[in-house]
Amino acid sequence: MKSAVISVGTELLFGQIVNTNAAYLSQELNDMGVDVLYHYTMGDNPQRFRRVMEFAMQDCDLFLITGGLGPTEDDLTKETLCDMLGEKLVVHQPTVEYINAFFERVQMKMTENNMKQTLVPEHAVVFRNLNGTAPGFAVEKDGRTFICMPGVPREMKRMFQDSVKPYLMKMADAYIISRSLRVFGVGESLVETMLLQFIDGQTDPTIATYAKEGEVEIRITSKRRRKQEAVEAVDDMAGRVASVMGDSVYSTEGRELYEETAEKLLSQNISLALCETVTGGAVAAKLSRYPGISAVFDRSVVVPEEKAQIDELSVPRKIFDEHTAFSPEAAEALAEGLQRKTGCRMCVSVTGNAGPDFCDGVEPGTFFISALYDGKLTTRRYYHDSRGMSLNIDFISLCVLHFINLLLQGKSPSEKL
């Protein structure tokens, strides 16, 4: 199948909202083996929508359209599409009941224009919107498939995963299996270089890399007529990739760094305390997203100033006088003070200069991580090319999680990022 992703909404053109839907759908479609030929973004204008559709229909047989399904007068996506396809709009009774129940549940008065959302093409397959009120739908006409979904990202994503993706998979003539490995501390260009032996001349499975801040996702995909063959091909390639990438691979199942770290802490029942002088609680915020983490995550002490570090963790004043607050000695004193205060099995501190300027002679982007784990102290100095305070904090937070994750595997963190 060849597809076009079409985003409708004047607010997208004004720059008021970033179009994340197109990127999300393209990634999902590519994982399913569907070629995406076009991205279109347009305002709420029926004439332009029709022209774009007529152009895309020359090359594509699958169209994923987001936006323009709401209750207001400028929401005209389905009306225009039905006019093009010769479809009649009819009332979808299950949606009537769903919307009535929704407004009763939230105890709000329902305005009459909400009933506009209950109209769907007569021959459509309707997709319930479990995060909103406007349903989505699919219409097949003359060998082409048109799928409409809400423009609100959280509504669209859930509808896609719950309804649209299974619908599309039934149309596929083969099984498509994907698996993601996540790598930390290695840039995308180096990852690609290390994997050239697999990428050059690849047919099936295929390998694609996606760069994020501080990490790279390696996605392996196989398309086979038999599901088991695809699974085995992906698993075999994942093993090869992991052996080449070594300790930089923190997940072979696509999980994020905080998920891997939290899962290990819980499964090994290891109590953790943090001292964050430079990240302001950002590490704790990431870990706290994991369900049940409070069973092992004792606390995070946020102490950016020397006085607070002395008061809260009994760090000796001479540490700062002789070495400054941005030093391995300070990081170690903080971890030791944290252990005395909490008694946790693993106590981790991070200190440094996130920027934007030099401080105590320390360059922005310089930071130190120290962990006292089962009586052993492990301390490392790191430097991240300063990209602004906010990005530095995000990156340092990931480094702390990676540091913990390696220790939990019995590995020694590298002195290089």
Side-chain angles (χ1 to χ4, degrees):
M1 288 186 287
K2 293 179 171 55
S3 68
V5 176
I6 299 167
S7 308
V8 181
T10 303
E11 67 277 6
L12 296 170
L13 297 179
F14 285 170
Q16 296 171 334
I17 296 176
V18 176
N19 187 4
T20 58
N21 287 347
Y24 173 85
L25 290 172
S26 285
Q27 187 167 310
E28 288 287 341
L29 290 169
N30 276 293
D31 286 347
M32 296 170 65
V34 177
D35 295 324
V36 180
L37 301 191
Y38 301 111
H39 278 191
Y40 295 104
T41 303
M42 71 201 70
D44 301 290
N45 183 289
Q47 290 75 31
R48 294 191 194 110
F49 178 83
R50 181 185 286 270
R51 285 201 297 271
V52 164
M53 290 297 300
E54 289 172 348
F55 178 80
M57 286 167 64
Q58 296 177 39
D59 297 319
C60 301
D61 48 23
L62 174 63
F63 307 85
L64 273 72
I65 305 161
T66 62
L69 300 182
T72 59
E73 290 187 8
D74 62 350
D75 290 316
L76 297 170
T77 295
K78 62 187 172 187
E79 289 84 352
T80 308
L81 183 63
C82 283
D83 185 55
M84 288 181 60
L85 302 180
E87 280 279 323
K88 182 171 68 173
L89 282 169
V90 297
V91 173
H92 186 245
Q93 191 58 36
T95 299
V96 174
E97 296 167 5
Y98 178 76
I99 291 178
N100 282 325
F102 171 83
F103 278 96
E104 184 176 336
R105 185 172 66 253
V106 299
Q107 297 182 345
M108 290 177 60
K109 179 179 174 57
M110 183 182 70
T111 56
E112 186 61 32
N113 60 354
N114 278 283
M115 285 296 102
K116 180 173 181 282
Q117 298 173 103
T118 69
L119 298 173
V120 299
E122 185 176 16
H123 299 103
V125 174
V126 180
F127 306 130
R128 178 180 287 187
N129 184 347
L130 294 176
N131 279 345
T133 53
F137 58 84
V139 177
E140 296 184 22
K141 187 83 170 182
D142 299 329
R144 300 186 180 95
T145 302
F146 304 83
I147 295 176
C148 289
M149 293 175 286
V152 179
R154 69 183 185 89
E155 297 181 23
M156 184 278 295
K157 289 178 181 179
R158 182 164 185 186
M159 184 180 292
F160 184 87
Q161 291 298 331
D162 290 352
S163 303
V164 176
K165 191 171 185 177
Y167 175 87
L168 290 174
M169 290 301 292
K170 290 179 182 178
M171 301 167 60
D173 58 359
Y175 287 96
I176 300 170
I177 301 296
S178 289
R179 182 173 169 186
S180 289
L181 281 70
R182 289 179 178 261
V183 173
F184 182 80
V186 183
E188 185 181 23
S189 58
L190 180 55
V191 169
E192 187 172 282
T193 299
M194 295 174 72
L195 299 180
L196 274 179
Q197 57 185 301
F198 307 128
I199 295 173
D200 276 354
Q202 64 181 349
T203 53
D204 188 303
T206 58
I207 297 175
T209 58
Y210 305 92
K212 300 181 179 181
E213 181 62 29
E215 58 180 308
V216 177
E217 179 181 354
I218 304 169
R219 184 164 295 176
I220 303 168
T221 304
S222 178
K223 182 178 181 180
R224 307 283 175 105
R225 292 203 171 273
R226 294 182 58 212
K227 183 177 181 179
Q228 189 58 34
E229 289 179 358
V231 170
E232 290 172 358
V234 167
D235 287 348
D236 176 67
M237 183 58 72
R240 296 189 197 183
V241 169
S243 67
V244 170
M245 299 308 304
D247 287 350
S248 63
V249 176
Y250 69 80
S251 175
T252 58
E253 299 297 335
R255 287 190 288 267
E256 292 191 37
L257 191 46
Y258 81 89
E259 294 174 309
E260 285 289 333
T261 306
E263 192 170 291
K264 288 184 178 67
L265 287 167
L266 285 166
S267 65
Q268 298 177 39
N269 193 30
I270 294 173
S271 56
L272 171 72
L274 298 172
C275 172
E276 303 185 60
T277 76
V278 64
T279 49
V283 182
K286 293 179 188 295
L287 276 177
S288 297
R289 298 177 196 167
Y290 197 87
I293 192 62
S294 58
V296 292
F297 184 24
D298 179 78
R299 73 192 74 182
S300 178
V301 180
V302 179
V303 280
E305 292 295 328
E306 292 177 10
K307 182 179 183 304
Q309 294 168 29
I310 294 170
D311 291 346
E312 293 293 327
L313 300 177
S314 302
V315 176
R317 162 58 67 183
K318 68 176 184 179
I319 293 290
F320 303 125
D321 293 339
E322 296 176 5
H323 303 287
T324 80
F326 305 139
S327 65
E329 292 81 5
E332 290 174 353
L334 289 165
E336 291 168 339
L338 192 62
Q339 207 284 326
R340 288 192 299 270
K341 188 178 184 73
T342 67
C344 287
R345 186 173 167 186
M346 179 182 287
C347 293
V348 180
S349 71
V350 57
T351 187
N353 182 11
D357 304 311
F358 274 78
C359 188
D360 287 342
V362 176
E363 187 176 359
T366 302
F367 61 101
F368 303 87
I369 302 174
S370 185
L372 187 56
Y373 177 36
D374 283 346
K376 181 182 178 181
L377 199 60
T378 303
T379 306
R380 298 286 185 266
R381 176 193 184 279
Y382 296 110
Y383 172 74
H384 178 237
D385 185 28
S386 183
R387 301 175 189 178
M389 190 172 181
S390 179
L391 287 177
N392 281 343
I393 289 174
D394 289 343
F395 181 75
I396 294 170
S397 301
L398 291 173
C399 286
V400 173
L401 291 171
H402 187 57
F403 198 95
I404 296 170
N405 195 41
L406 287 173
L407 290 176
L408 292 173
Q409 297 175 72
K411 299 175 180 178
S412 179
S414 170
E415 295 186 354
K416 294 182 179 180
L417 293 174

